[in-house]
Amino acid sequence: MKSFVTAMSIALIIVIGGIAFNICINDLSDELIDTCEKITEHLNDRDFSAASKQILEMSEFIDRKKLIFASVLNHENIDEIELCVSELQGYTDSKYLVEALVRCKKLKHLFEHLPSNYRVTMHNIL
């Protein structure tokens, strides 16, 4: 009976932890997608300084959430996101509109797939 209670307790902890983790990843992804959309709006309005400020805020946000990224993503994806953000910043500072919009679209695509690619499921656990 003790082993059954222990097993059920462990299962409950895993399920609750997985749900909390999935919510955290969804919120993180949604915030980053919103930021990319704001950057795209600024770029479409050719407001490069506002876009640059928004990119800097996104970069700082990613740095603050680095622990979550490290626990969720493989390091190649983290590097790809950081590279894309730095390229976006460079293209925006140089006022290369098309290249900046492409990097922003790529980041949005990466952020949209975060929850589905790294969701905690029973399949991942087993």
Side-chain angles (χ1 to χ4, degrees):
M1 185 68 174
K2 284 184 179 182
S3 61
F4 176 74
V5 172
T6 303
M8 291 307 294
S9 298
I10 291 171
L12 185 63
I13 289 170
I14 290 172
V15 168
I16 291 172
I19 290 170
F21 189 77
N22 288 343
I23 290 170
C24 180
I25 293 300
N26 284 333
D27 291 345
L28 181 68
S29 174
D30 289 343
E31 184 156 347
L32 289 167
I33 290 168
D34 289 344
T35 303
C36 280
E37 289 172 352
K38 289 176 188 174
I39 293 168
T40 301
E41 288 175 18
H42 291 308
L43 290 171
N44 285 330
D45 294 340
R46 295 189 183 277
D47 188 355
F48 291 99
S49 73
S52 185
K53 288 178 187 173
Q54 200 72 43
I55 295 165
L56 184 60
E57 288 176 19
M58 180 172 60
S59 180
E60 290 171 355
F61 178 78
I62 290 171
D63 286 343
R64 285 192 312 270
K65 302 298 182 177
K66 198 98 157 174
L67 181 62
I68 296 171
F69 276 128
S71 66
V72 176
L73 303 175
N74 65 38
H75 293 287
E76 291 173 3
N77 288 354
I78 296 170
D79 292 343
E80 184 176 8
I81 289 170
E82 289 178 339
L83 176 64
C84 204
V85 169
S86 66
E87 288 175 342
L88 176 60
Q89 184 70 57
Y91 289 136
T92 301
D93 290 345
S94 300
K95 298 183 179 174
Y96 293 133
L97 179 63
V98 175
E99 290 86 352
L101 287 170
V102 168
R103 290 308 179 275
C104 201
K105 183 77 172 174
K106 181 178 179 179
L107 278 170
K108 186 177 175 188
H109 176 78
L110 290 169
F111 297 145
E112 285 173 345
H113 290 2
L114 271 179
S116 60
N117 290 342
Y118 296 100
R119 180 170 287 132
V120 176
T121 62
M122 290 307 284
H123 183 263
N124 295 350
I125 295 169
L126 302 176

